[in-house]
Amino acid sequence: MASDARLAVYPGSFDPLTNGHVDIILRGAQLFDRIVVAVLKNAGKEPPLFTVDERVAMIRDVLVDQKNVEVDTFDGLLVDYVRRKKGHAIVRGLRAVSDFEYEMQMALMNRHLTPGVETVFMMPSEQYTYVSSRLVKEVAALGGSVKGLVPPIVAEQLTGKRTASTRRRA
Ligand code: PNS
């Protein structure tokens, strides 16, 4: 790949990957020469449903045919990772006005830390504006259908997690 190739990093927890994420990745893959889907390794306040390895495997599986998309993990500061990868931009999806405040704070903090890296916001298709990993997990845990909200492999794995937790409780 030429050294002037434009590389973007699409960071997130992806616990799990939703069709909204996939939509943004495909849009990003058209805009940039390469896009790296970067899964955050450090656990936040809530324990994740899927391990980092499970999340990475699902994302790789879904995006296997996208030749300019790669999947990686990172911890520490996002901007340090972007710099290490020689990235030009951070991609984030904006679903609704409610996302805006948090996203703007992050984008401005990242710009403060590393002025050369821009954050590019993209809107997913309107059919995914209400889809979030958090709600998908809740619906799946309570036995609701997540068809059309997540890729089939993710839906399968969510069912597997539910079955495992039902067995543990029995
Ligand atoms: O989509 P998510 O799960 O809300 O992603 C949040 C993420 C991973 C983009 C954000 O938490 C992050 O960048 N974490 C890395 C730590 C960091 O760089 N913090 C300062 C950025 S403001």
Side-chain angles (χ1 to χ4, degrees), residues 56-65 153:
V56 166
M58 283 189 278
I59 302 170
R60 288 214 170 110
D61 190 298
V62 171
L63 296 163
V64 68
D65 293 331
I153 172 103

Side-chain angles (χ1 to χ4, degrees), residues 11-14 21 40 42 74 76-79 92 102-103 105-106 109-110 113:
S13 312
F14 303 105
H21 293 132
L40 180 67
N42 12 355
F74 78 104
L77 278 180
L78 171 62
V79 287
R92 292 288 289 171
Y102 170 63
E103 293 297 336
Q105 277 186 343
M106 275 207 303
M109 180 58 80
N110 286 332
L113 294 169

Side-chain angles (χ1 to χ4, degrees), residues 70-147:
E70 49 184 274
V71 188
D72 195 9
T73 60
F74 78 104
D75 52 16
L77 278 180
L78 171 62
V79 287
D80 289 344
Y81 173 77
V82 175
R83 244 195 320 230
R84 278 201 306 279
K85 296 295 284 186
K86 301 197 179 2
H88 298 88
I90 295 166
V91 165
R92 292 288 289 171
L94 269 187
R95 290 165 301 194
V97 177
S98 51
D99 283 343
F100 182 76
E101 201 167 307
Y102 170 63
E103 293 297 336
M104 189 186 75
Q105 277 186 343
M106 275 207 303
L108 293 179
M109 180 58 80
N110 286 332
R111 179 186 284 168
H112 166 79
L113 294 169
T114 309
V117 175
E118 285 298 332
T119 300
V120 175
F121 292 107
M122 282 191 283
M123 283 169 209
S125 172
E126 56 277 15
Q127 61 186 309
Y128 302 129
T129 46
Y130 63 94
V131 178
S132 69
S133 298
R134 185 179 61 81
L135 283 183
V136 158
K137 280 186 285 195
E138 188 172 317
V139 169
L142 297 171
S145 169
V146 292
K147 191 163 183 276

